[in-house]
Structure formats: C-alpha cells, structure tokens
Amino acid sequence: NIFNNGNKTSTAYLGLYNRQKSIPNNLKKYSKKIRFYKKKNVYRLIAELLSKDEVIAVVFNRSEIGPRALGHRSILSNPLYKKNWKRVNLIKKRELWRPFAPAVLEKDSKKWFSNVPKVSPFMLFTAKVINNKIPAVTHVDGSARIQTVDKNSKEIYKILKEFKKITNVPVLLNTSFNG
C-alpha cells in the first residue's frame, strides 16, 4: 500500500509505465545520439560513466508524478565539476543561471548539507551546501534543493551507492529528463 494515514503517499513513482516495446524503435531512431548498453550491473556501469564525467539519461519503471525528477526519468551528472552546471543547462536548452538539484544518500546528507529536515525524498527543501567539492549542484548563494535517497528509491539509490564506492561522494546532479 502506497498510502500512509489515508492521505499521504510514500512514493512519487505513480506516473506512466515506460513501455519496453518502444525501446528498440527508439534505439534505432536515435542510434547516432544514444549509446545502448546491455549489462548485468547497469548501476555500476552508470556510476563508472558518471565518474568519468559522462552525462547519463536514465528511465526506470513508472515515472514520477509532480514537478521533480527523482531518479526514474532523470539526467544525471557528476557534481564534482562546476562546468556540469552549464553543460547540463545547455543539453536541456535552459537559461544558464538555473540551478540543479543534488540527489544524496540519506545517511550521508548531514555531511554535505545543513539547515534541512532529516529527509527530503521529494526534493522540496532548500539546504545549505557545507562541502565545496560539489560545485555543479551549488547555487550562487551556497544553497541546493536536495533529494535525500534511501533504499526505497531503488535504482537511483543503487547508482548513488556505486558512485560513492568509486568517488567517495554520495551526491549526483539530478534533473528531469524531459523536453
């Protein structure tokens, strides 16, 4: 049951299912722009590519409802490089000043951010960035609208865990894969 207390939901993954049937057609249609990988541990592969400063678009299971990308339809990037702020804005064709949100492992969030509730799974709260190693997700005023991620977030959780193993950083730049 996704509802707690009758009126609150514990998940945002209530949107449309991503249809497996459309994948082969889209791979063919966009073969010059998209690299396709079939691998057992796709989470490790994504983390490895992110650690090498690749920008990755992911689509998993049901999409999110509401205005935030929470890991099921996301563009992910390495937060360690300030240039990724501009780079991802250019990919999305957005104004270059617009900030991006960090997804962070919940258990590590207090080591990277302050002035935020313990959990922020729906990317609703603004925090103060307290570690200068993640400039791509730090707004000019030193803030960030964070998404705390726990094991209930499944795929993005697994990607973040693998990224942390490689880089010792439990944070990724996360924005919606739309437009």
Side-chain angles (χ1 to χ4, degrees), residues 10-41:
S10 60
T11 184
Y13 307 121
L14 301 173
L16 298 174
Y17 282 100
N18 296 303
R19 303 278 183 237
Q20 294 291 326
K21 290 184 245 176
S22 66
I23 293 173
N25 290 338
N26 285 323
L27 289 172
K28 196 178 296 180
K29 182 177 177 181
Y30 297 105
S31 64
K32 291 187 169 94
K33 294 182 180 187
I34 296 175
R35 283 184 255 164
F36 177 68
Y37 298 94
K38 221 175 192 178
K39 191 167 177 171
K40 277 190 188 249
N41 190 346

PDB file of all heavy atoms in Angstrom, residues 10-41:
ATOM      1  N   SER A  10       3.857   7.678   0.117  1.00  0.00           N
ATOM      2  CA  SER A  10       5.255   7.466   0.454  1.00  0.00           C
ATOM      3  C   SER A  10       6.117   7.343  -0.802  1.00  0.00           C
ATOM      4  O   SER A  10       7.299   7.076  -0.701  1.00  0.00           O
ATOM      5  CB  SER A  10       5.399   6.211   1.314  1.00  0.00           C
ATOM      6  OG  SER A  10       4.911   5.096   0.594  1.00  0.00           O
ATOM      7  N   THR A  11       5.531   7.537  -1.969  1.00  0.00           N
ATOM      8  CA  THR A  11       6.274   7.446  -3.214  1.00  0.00           C
ATOM      9  C   THR A  11       5.754   8.470  -4.214  1.00  0.00           C
ATOM     10  O   THR A  11       4.602   8.876  -4.159  1.00  0.00           O
ATOM     11  CB  THR A  11       6.188   6.024  -3.815  1.00  0.00           C
ATOM     12  OG1 THR A  11       7.007   5.982  -4.988  1.00  0.00           O
ATOM     13  CG2 THR A  11       4.768   5.657  -4.201  1.00  0.00           C
ATOM     14  N   ALA A  12       6.619   8.876  -5.107  1.00  0.00           N
ATOM     15  CA  ALA A  12       6.217   9.765  -6.200  1.00  0.00           C
ATOM     16  C   ALA A  12       6.173   8.998  -7.514  1.00  0.00           C
ATOM     17  O   ALA A  12       5.861   9.560  -8.553  1.00  0.00           O
ATOM     18  CB  ALA A  12       7.196  10.935  -6.318  1.00  0.00           C
ATOM     19  N   TYR A  13       6.470   7.704  -7.477  1.00  0.00           N
ATOM     20  CA  TYR A  13       6.538   6.892  -8.695  1.00  0.00           C
ATOM     21  C   TYR A  13       5.158   6.332  -9.031  1.00  0.00           C
ATOM     22  O   TYR A  13       4.924   5.130  -9.023  1.00  0.00           O
ATOM     23  CB  TYR A  13       7.572   5.781  -8.541  1.00  0.00           C
ATOM     24  CG  TYR A  13       8.931   6.310  -8.109  1.00  0.00           C
ATOM     25  CD1 TYR A  13       9.524   5.873  -6.939  1.00  0.00           C
ATOM     26  CD2 TYR A  13       9.594   7.255  -8.876  1.00  0.00           C
ATOM     27  CE1 TYR A  13      10.759   6.364  -6.543  1.00  0.00           C
ATOM     28  CE2 TYR A  13      10.826   7.751  -8.485  1.00  0.00           C
ATOM     29  CZ  TYR A  13      11.403   7.300  -7.317  1.00  0.00           C
ATOM     30  OH  TYR A  13      12.619   7.793  -6.927  1.00  0.00           O
ATOM     31  N   LEU A  14       4.238   7.228  -9.327  1.00  0.00           N
ATOM     32  CA  LEU A  14       2.859   6.858  -9.631  1.00  0.00           C
ATOM     33  C   LEU A  14       2.476   7.214 -11.062  1.00  0.00           C
ATOM     34  O   LEU A  14       1.317   7.093 -11.448  1.00  0.00           O
ATOM     35  CB  LEU A  14       1.904   7.567  -8.662  1.00  0.00           C
ATOM     36  CG  LEU A  14       2.127   7.269  -7.180  1.00  0.00           C
ATOM     37  CD1 LEU A  14       1.245   8.164  -6.320  1.00  0.00           C
ATOM     38  CD2 LEU A  14       1.860   5.811  -6.885  1.00  0.00           C
ATOM     39  N   GLY A  15       3.429   7.672 -11.859  1.00  0.00           N
ATOM     40  CA  GLY A  15       3.163   8.091 -13.233  1.00  0.00           C
ATOM     41  C   GLY A  15       3.091   6.913 -14.186  1.00  0.00           C
ATOM     42  O   GLY A  15       2.961   5.750 -13.783  1.00  0.00           O
ATOM     43  N   LEU A  16       3.219   7.216 -15.463  1.00  0.00           N
ATOM     44  CA  LEU A  16       3.109   6.211 -16.511  1.00  0.00           C
ATOM     45  C   LEU A  16       4.242   5.198 -16.452  1.00  0.00           C
ATOM     46  O   LEU A  16       5.366   5.519 -16.081  1.00  0.00           O
ATOM     47  CB  LEU A  16       3.128   6.894 -17.882  1.00  0.00           C
ATOM     48  CG  LEU A  16       1.990   7.869 -18.162  1.00  0.00           C
ATOM     49  CD1 LEU A  16       2.231   8.565 -19.499  1.00  0.00           C
ATOM     50  CD2 LEU A  16       0.654   7.155 -18.145  1.00  0.00           C
ATOM     51  N   TYR A  17       3.914   3.980 -16.845  1.00  0.00           N
ATOM     52  CA  TYR A  17       4.948   2.965 -17.013  1.00  0.00           C
ATOM     53  C   TYR A  17       5.689   3.251 -18.307  1.00  0.00           C
ATOM     54  O   TYR A  17       5.094   3.654 -19.298  1.00  0.00           O
ATOM     55  CB  TYR A  17       4.339   1.558 -17.115  1.00  0.00           C
ATOM     56  CG  TYR A  17       3.922   0.984 -15.801  1.00  0.00           C
ATOM     57  CD1 TYR A  17       2.597   1.008 -15.410  1.00  0.00           C
ATOM     58  CD2 TYR A  17       4.860   0.416 -14.952  1.00  0.00           C
ATOM     59  CE1 TYR A  17       2.198   0.471 -14.196  1.00  0.00           C
ATOM     60  CE2 TYR A  17       4.474  -0.109 -13.729  1.00  0.00           C
ATOM     61  CZ  TYR A  17       3.143  -0.084 -13.359  1.00  0.00           C
ATOM     62  OH  TYR A  17       2.767  -0.603 -12.166  1.00  0.00           O
ATOM     63  N   ASN A  18       7.005   3.046 -18.286  1.00  0.00           N
ATOM     64  CA  ASN A  18       7.781   3.176 -19.507  1.00  0.00           C
ATOM     65  C   ASN A  18       7.655   1.870 -20.266  1.00  0.00           C
ATOM     66  O   ASN A  18       7.924   0.809 -19.739  1.00  0.00           O
ATOM     67  CB  ASN A  18       9.233   3.502 -19.165  1.00  0.00           C
ATOM     68  CG  ASN A  18       9.323   4.842 -18.479  1.00  0.00           C
ATOM     69  OD1 ASN A  18       8.880   5.836 -19.032  1.00  0.00           O
ATOM     70  ND2 ASN A  18       9.842   4.871 -17.266  1.00  0.00           N
ATOM     71  N   ARG A  19       7.212   1.962 -21.466  1.00  0.00           N
ATOM     72  CA  ARG A  19       6.906   0.787 -22.272  1.00  0.00           C
ATOM     73  C   ARG A  19       8.171   0.171 -22.878  1.00  0.00           C
ATOM     74  O   ARG A  19       8.893   0.827 -23.612  1.00  0.00           O
ATOM     75  CB  ARG A  19       5.949   1.157 -23.403  1.00  0.00           C
ATOM     76  CG  ARG A  19       4.671   1.788 -22.902  1.00  0.00           C
ATOM     77  CD  ARG A  19       3.704   0.696 -22.458  1.00  0.00           C
ATOM     78  NE  ARG A  19       2.454   1.281 -22.036  1.00  0.00           N
ATOM     79  CZ  ARG A  19       1.937   1.096 -20.833  1.00  0.00           C
ATOM     80  NH1 ARG A  19       2.534   0.353 -19.965  1.00  0.00           N
ATOM     81  NH2 ARG A  19       0.789   1.645 -20.509  1.00  0.00           N
ATOM     82  N   GLN A  20       8.415  -1.089 -22.560  1.00  0.00           N
ATOM     83  CA  GLN A  20       9.566  -1.806 -23.092  1.00  0.00           C
ATOM     84  C   GLN A  20       9.501  -1.935 -24.610  1.00  0.00           C
ATOM     85  O   GLN A  20      10.512  -1.960 -25.270  1.00  0.00           O
ATOM     86  CB  GLN A  20       9.656  -3.200 -22.456  1.00  0.00           C
ATOM     87  CG  GLN A  20       9.958  -3.187 -20.984  1.00  0.00           C
ATOM     88  CD  GLN A  20      11.364  -2.713 -20.683  1.00  0.00           C
ATOM     89  OE1 GLN A  20      12.284  -2.953 -21.433  1.00  0.00           O
ATOM     90  NE2 GLN A  20      11.513  -2.002 -19.585  1.00  0.00           N
ATOM     91  N   LYS A  21       8.274  -1.998 -25.169  1.00  0.00           N
ATOM     92  CA  LYS A  21       8.119  -2.191 -26.617  1.00  0.00           C
ATOM     93  C   LYS A  21       8.704  -1.035 -27.425  1.00  0.00           C
ATOM     94  O   LYS A  21       9.142  -1.227 -28.543  1.00  0.00           O
ATOM     95  CB  LYS A  21       6.634  -2.346 -26.981  1.00  0.00           C
ATOM     96  CG  LYS A  21       6.021  -3.632 -26.518  1.00  0.00           C
ATOM     97  CD  LYS A  21       4.594  -3.706 -27.027  1.00  0.00           C
ATOM     98  CE  LYS A  21       3.664  -3.669 -25.839  1.00  0.00           C
ATOM     99  NZ  LYS A  21       2.267  -3.637 -26.175  1.00  0.00           N
ATOM    100  N   SER A  22       8.700   0.166 -26.870  1.00  0.00           N
ATOM    101  CA  SER A  22       9.162   1.326 -27.628  1.00  0.00           C
ATOM    102  C   SER A  22      10.685   1.440 -27.650  1.00  0.00           C
ATOM    103  O   SER A  22      11.231   2.179 -28.463  1.00  0.00           O
ATOM    104  CB  SER A  22       8.566   2.608 -27.045  1.00  0.00           C
ATOM    105  OG  SER A  22       9.073   2.844 -25.746  1.00  0.00           O
ATOM    106  N   ILE A  23      11.378   0.706 -26.812  1.00  0.00           N
ATOM    107  CA  ILE A  23      12.830   0.845 -26.719  1.00  0.00           C
ATOM    108  C   ILE A  23      13.546   0.488 -28.024  1.00  0.00           C
ATOM    109  O   ILE A  23      14.339   1.293 -28.517  1.00  0.00           O
ATOM    110  CB  ILE A  23      13.392   0.044 -25.519  1.00  0.00           C
ATOM    111  CG1 ILE A  23      12.900   0.695 -24.219  1.00  0.00           C
ATOM    112  CG2 ILE A  23      14.920  -0.019 -25.554  1.00  0.00           C
ATOM    113  CD1 ILE A  23      13.230  -0.073 -22.967  1.00  0.00           C
ATOM    114  N   PRO A  24      13.309  -0.670 -28.655  1.00  0.00           N
ATOM    115  CA  PRO A  24      14.029  -0.979 -29.896  1.00  0.00           C
ATOM    116  C   PRO A  24      13.800   0.067 -30.996  1.00  0.00           C
ATOM    117  O   PRO A  24      14.750   0.447 -31.698  1.00  0.00           O
ATOM    118  CB  PRO A  24      13.474  -2.348 -30.313  1.00  0.00           C
ATOM    119  CG  PRO A  24      12.991  -2.954 -29.042  1.00  0.00           C
ATOM    120  CD  PRO A  24      12.486  -1.798 -28.218  1.00  0.00           C
ATOM    121  N   ASN A  25      12.571   0.539 -31.149  1.00  0.00           N
ATOM    122  CA  ASN A  25      12.299   1.554 -32.168  1.00  0.00           C
ATOM    123  C   ASN A  25      13.052   2.851 -31.885  1.00  0.00           C
ATOM    124  O   ASN A  25      13.601   3.468 -32.804  1.00  0.00           O
ATOM    125  CB  ASN A  25      10.791   1.839 -32.259  1.00  0.00           C
ATOM    126  CG  ASN A  25      10.037   0.675 -32.852  1.00  0.00           C
ATOM    127  OD1 ASN A  25      10.597  -0.166 -33.548  1.00  0.00           O
ATOM    128  ND2 ASN A  25       8.748   0.608 -32.560  1.00  0.00           N
ATOM    129  N   ASN A  26      13.063   3.266 -30.639  1.00  0.00           N
ATOM    130  CA  ASN A  26      13.768   4.498 -30.287  1.00  0.00           C
ATOM    131  C   ASN A  26      15.273   4.350 -30.387  1.00  0.00           C
ATOM    132  O   ASN A  26      15.968   5.296 -30.757  1.00  0.00           O
ATOM    133  CB  ASN A  26      13.351   4.985 -28.901  1.00  0.00           C
ATOM    134  CG  ASN A  26      11.986   5.614 -28.912  1.00  0.00           C
ATOM    135  OD1 ASN A  26      11.617   6.294 -29.873  1.00  0.00           O
ATOM    136  ND2 ASN A  26      11.225   5.396 -27.857  1.00  0.00           N
ATOM    137  N   LEU A  27      15.799   3.166 -30.071  1.00  0.00           N
ATOM    138  CA  LEU A  27      17.233   2.936 -30.229  1.00  0.00           C
ATOM    139  C   LEU A  27      17.642   3.072 -31.687  1.00  0.00           C
ATOM    140  O   LEU A  27      18.673   3.662 -32.004  1.00  0.00           O
ATOM    141  CB  LEU A  27      17.624   1.560 -29.689  1.00  0.00           C
ATOM    142  CG  LEU A  27      17.589   1.415 -28.177  1.00  0.00           C
ATOM    143  CD1 LEU A  27      17.813  -0.028 -27.785  1.00  0.00           C
ATOM    144  CD2 LEU A  27      18.618   2.317 -27.532  1.00  0.00           C
ATOM    145  N   LYS A  28      16.827   2.519 -32.564  1.00  0.00           N
ATOM    146  CA  LYS A  28      17.097   2.626 -33.996  1.00  0.00           C
ATOM    147  C   LYS A  28      16.972   4.084 -34.463  1.00  0.00           C
ATOM    148  O   LYS A  28      17.842   4.605 -35.158  1.00  0.00           O
ATOM    149  CB  LYS A  28      16.119   1.744 -34.780  1.00  0.00           C
ATOM    150  CG  LYS A  28      16.535   1.475 -36.219  1.00  0.00           C
ATOM    151  CD  LYS A  28      15.554   0.562 -36.924  1.00  0.00           C
ATOM    152  CE  LYS A  28      15.562  -0.808 -36.254  1.00  0.00           C
ATOM    153  NZ  LYS A  28      14.634  -1.752 -36.873  1.00  0.00           N
ATOM    154  N   LYS A  29      15.915   4.736 -34.045  1.00  0.00           N
ATOM    155  CA  LYS A  29      15.633   6.116 -34.459  1.00  0.00           C
ATOM    156  C   LYS A  29      16.739   7.074 -33.999  1.00  0.00           C
ATOM    157  O   LYS A  29      17.118   7.987 -34.729  1.00  0.00           O
ATOM    158  CB  LYS A  29      14.285   6.544 -33.877  1.00  0.00           C
ATOM    159  CG  LYS A  29      13.851   7.937 -34.264  1.00  0.00           C
ATOM    160  CD  LYS A  29      12.465   8.227 -33.690  1.00  0.00           C
ATOM    161  CE  LYS A  29      12.014   9.639 -33.997  1.00  0.00           C
ATOM    162  NZ  LYS A  29      10.689   9.921 -33.422  1.00  0.00           N
ATOM    163  N   TYR A  30      17.263   6.875 -32.792  1.00  0.00           N
ATOM    164  CA  TYR A  30      18.255   7.792 -32.232  1.00  0.00           C
ATOM    165  C   TYR A  30      19.646   7.161 -32.126  1.00  0.00           C
ATOM    166  O   TYR A  30      20.455   7.583 -31.316  1.00  0.00           O
ATOM    167  CB  TYR A  30      17.801   8.269 -30.848  1.00  0.00           C
ATOM    168  CG  TYR A  30      16.520   9.055 -30.902  1.00  0.00           C
ATOM    169  CD1 TYR A  30      15.319   8.489 -30.492  1.00  0.00           C
ATOM    170  CD2 TYR A  30      16.504  10.359 -31.372  1.00  0.00           C
ATOM    171  CE1 TYR A  30      14.136   9.203 -30.546  1.00  0.00           C
ATOM    172  CE2 TYR A  30      15.332  11.086 -31.437  1.00  0.00           C
ATOM    173  CZ  TYR A  30      14.151  10.498 -31.019  1.00  0.00           C
ATOM    174  OH  TYR A  30      12.985  11.212 -31.075  1.00  0.00           O
ATOM    175  N   SER A  31      19.946   6.191 -32.978  1.00  0.00           N
ATOM    176  CA  SER A  31      21.192   5.434 -32.861  1.00  0.00           C
ATOM    177  C   SER A  31      22.450   6.294 -32.982  1.00  0.00           C
ATOM    178  O   SER A  31      23.490   5.940 -32.453  1.00  0.00           O
ATOM    179  CB  SER A  31      21.227   4.314 -33.903  1.00  0.00           C
ATOM    180  OG  SER A  31      21.240   4.873 -35.205  1.00  0.00           O
ATOM    181  N   LYS A  32      22.354   7.439 -33.632  1.00  0.00           N
ATOM    182  CA  LYS A  32      23.531   8.310 -33.750  1.00  0.00           C
ATOM    183  C   LYS A  32      23.721   9.180 -32.512  1.00  0.00           C
ATOM    184  O   LYS A  32      24.762   9.787 -32.328  1.00  0.00           O
ATOM    185  CB  LYS A  32      23.407   9.173 -34.996  1.00  0.00           C
ATOM    186  CG  LYS A  32      23.541   8.359 -36.288  1.00  0.00           C
ATOM    187  CD  LYS A  32      23.580   9.261 -37.501  1.00  0.00           C
ATOM    188  CE  LYS A  32      23.966   8.469 -38.717  1.00  0.00           C
ATOM    189  NZ  LYS A  32      22.893   7.970 -39.484  1.00  0.00           N
ATOM    190  N   LYS A  33      22.698   9.255 -31.659  1.00  0.00           N
ATOM    191  CA  LYS A  33      22.768  10.113 -30.476  1.00  0.00           C
ATOM    192  C   LYS A  33      22.814   9.331 -29.167  1.00  0.00           C
ATOM    193  O   LYS A  33      23.232   9.858 -28.151  1.00  0.00           O
ATOM    194  CB  LYS A  33      21.550  11.045 -30.429  1.00  0.00           C
ATOM    195  CG  LYS A  33      21.531  12.049 -31.553  1.00  0.00           C
ATOM    196  CD  LYS A  33      20.336  12.966 -31.423  1.00  0.00           C
ATOM    197  CE  LYS A  33      20.328  13.966 -32.557  1.00  0.00           C
ATOM    198  NZ  LYS A  33      19.292  14.969 -32.376  1.00  0.00           N
ATOM    199  N   ILE A  34      22.352   8.087 -29.187  1.00  0.00           N
ATOM    200  CA  ILE A  34      22.239   7.296 -27.964  1.00  0.00           C
ATOM    201  C   ILE A  34      23.144   6.077 -28.048  1.00  0.00           C
ATOM    202  O   ILE A  34      23.173   5.372 -29.051  1.00  0.00           O
ATOM    203  CB  ILE A  34      20.782   6.820 -27.750  1.00  0.00           C
ATOM    204  CG1 ILE A  34      19.851   8.004 -27.543  1.00  0.00           C
ATOM    205  CG2 ILE A  34      20.691   5.865 -26.571  1.00  0.00           C
ATOM    206  CD1 ILE A  34      18.385   7.618 -27.458  1.00  0.00           C
ATOM    207  N   ARG A  35      23.898   5.837 -26.958  1.00  0.00           N
ATOM    208  CA  ARG A  35      24.662   4.599 -26.848  1.00  0.00           C
ATOM    209  C   ARG A  35      23.838   3.634 -26.019  1.00  0.00           C
ATOM    210  O   ARG A  35      23.324   3.994 -24.966  1.00  0.00           O
ATOM    211  CB  ARG A  35      25.992   4.855 -26.151  1.00  0.00           C
ATOM    212  CG  ARG A  35      26.998   5.502 -27.075  1.00  0.00           C
ATOM    213  CD  ARG A  35      28.313   5.652 -26.376  1.00  0.00           C
ATOM    214  NE  ARG A  35      28.429   7.058 -26.045  1.00  0.00           N
ATOM    215  CZ  ARG A  35      29.268   7.548 -25.175  1.00  0.00           C
ATOM    216  NH1 ARG A  35      30.076   6.771 -24.521  1.00  0.00           N
ATOM    217  NH2 ARG A  35      29.314   8.832 -24.927  1.00  0.00           N
ATOM    218  N   PHE A  36      23.691   2.420 -26.465  1.00  0.00           N
ATOM    219  CA  PHE A  36      22.886   1.421 -25.784  1.00  0.00           C
ATOM    220  C   PHE A  36      23.789   0.379 -25.154  1.00  0.00           C
ATOM    221  O   PHE A  36      24.708  -0.127 -25.793  1.00  0.00           O
ATOM    222  CB  PHE A  36      21.937   0.755 -26.789  1.00  0.00           C
ATOM    223  CG  PHE A  36      21.113  -0.338 -26.196  1.00  0.00           C
ATOM    224  CD1 PHE A  36      20.128  -0.061 -25.273  1.00  0.00           C
ATOM    225  CD2 PHE A  36      21.330  -1.654 -26.561  1.00  0.00           C
ATOM    226  CE1 PHE A  36      19.358  -1.073 -24.720  1.00  0.00           C
ATOM    227  CE2 PHE A  36      20.567  -2.676 -26.019  1.00  0.00           C
ATOM    228  CZ  PHE A  36      19.580  -2.377 -25.097  1.00  0.00           C
ATOM    229  N   TYR A  37      23.545   0.088 -23.877  1.00  0.00           N
ATOM    230  CA  TYR A  37      24.315  -0.922 -23.154  1.00  0.00           C
ATOM    231  C   TYR A  37      23.369  -1.957 -22.592  1.00  0.00           C
ATOM    232  O   TYR A  37      22.333  -1.635 -22.054  1.00  0.00           O
ATOM    233  CB  TYR A  37      25.064  -0.303 -21.966  1.00  0.00           C
ATOM    234  CG  TYR A  37      26.077   0.735 -22.338  1.00  0.00           C
ATOM    235  CD1 TYR A  37      25.744   2.081 -22.359  1.00  0.00           C
ATOM    236  CD2 TYR A  37      27.375   0.371 -22.654  1.00  0.00           C
ATOM    237  CE1 TYR A  37      26.675   3.040 -22.692  1.00  0.00           C
ATOM    238  CE2 TYR A  37      28.318   1.330 -22.985  1.00  0.00           C
ATOM    239  CZ  TYR A  37      27.962   2.656 -22.999  1.00  0.00           C
ATOM    240  OH  TYR A  37      28.887   3.599 -23.320  1.00  0.00           O
ATOM    241  N   LYS A  38      23.750  -3.203 -22.719  1.00  0.00           N
ATOM    242  CA  LYS A  38      23.050  -4.285 -22.051  1.00  0.00           C
ATOM    243  C   LYS A  38      24.081  -4.923 -21.133  1.00  0.00           C
ATOM    244  O   LYS A  38      25.058  -5.501 -21.583  1.00  0.00           O
ATOM    245  CB  LYS A  38      22.544  -5.292 -23.093  1.00  0.00           C
ATOM    246  CG  LYS A  38      21.180  -5.801 -22.832  1.00  0.00           C
ATOM    247  CD  LYS A  38      20.717  -6.681 -23.966  1.00  0.00           C
ATOM    248  CE  LYS A  38      19.230  -6.910 -23.781  1.00  0.00           C
ATOM    249  NZ  LYS A  38      18.668  -7.706 -24.830  1.00  0.00           N
ATOM    250  N   LYS A  39      23.872  -4.752 -19.851  1.00  0.00           N
ATOM    251  CA  LYS A  39      24.850  -5.217 -18.883  1.00  0.00           C
ATOM    252  C   LYS A  39      24.132  -5.650 -17.620  1.00  0.00           C
ATOM    253  O   LYS A  39      23.119  -5.063 -17.256  1.00  0.00           O
ATOM    254  CB  LYS A  39      25.830  -4.074 -18.586  1.00  0.00           C
ATOM    255  CG  LYS A  39      27.033  -4.497 -17.812  1.00  0.00           C
ATOM    256  CD  LYS A  39      28.099  -3.433 -17.807  1.00  0.00           C
ATOM    257  CE  LYS A  39      29.238  -3.926 -16.950  1.00  0.00           C
ATOM    258  NZ  LYS A  39      30.392  -3.101 -17.013  1.00  0.00           N
ATOM    259  N   LYS A  40      24.679  -6.666 -16.951  1.00  0.00           N
ATOM    260  CA  LYS A  40      24.048  -7.162 -15.731  1.00  0.00           C
ATOM    261  C   LYS A  40      23.978  -6.080 -14.656  1.00  0.00           C
ATOM    262  O   LYS A  40      22.927  -5.808 -14.116  1.00  0.00           O
ATOM    263  CB  LYS A  40      24.788  -8.384 -15.199  1.00  0.00           C
ATOM    264  CG  LYS A  40      24.384  -9.660 -15.875  1.00  0.00           C
ATOM    265  CD  LYS A  40      24.968 -10.843 -15.135  1.00  0.00           C
ATOM    266  CE  LYS A  40      24.723 -12.083 -15.943  1.00  0.00           C
ATOM    267  NZ  LYS A  40      23.789 -12.985 -15.357  1.00  0.00           N
ATOM    268  N   ASN A  41      25.100  -5.466 -14.325  1.00  0.00           N
ATOM    269  CA  ASN A  41      25.099  -4.447 -13.272  1.00  0.00           C
ATOM    270  C   ASN A  41      25.101  -3.061 -13.914  1.00  0.00           C
ATOM    271  O   ASN A  41      26.122  -2.383 -13.966  1.00  0.00           O
ATOM    272  CB  ASN A  41      26.276  -4.616 -12.328  1.00  0.00           C
ATOM    273  CG  ASN A  41      26.148  -3.723 -11.106  1.00  0.00           C
ATOM    274  OD1 ASN A  41      25.340  -2.798 -11.068  1.00  0.00           O
ATOM    275  ND2 ASN A  41      26.958  -4.002 -10.097  1.00  0.00           N
TER     276      ASN A  41
END
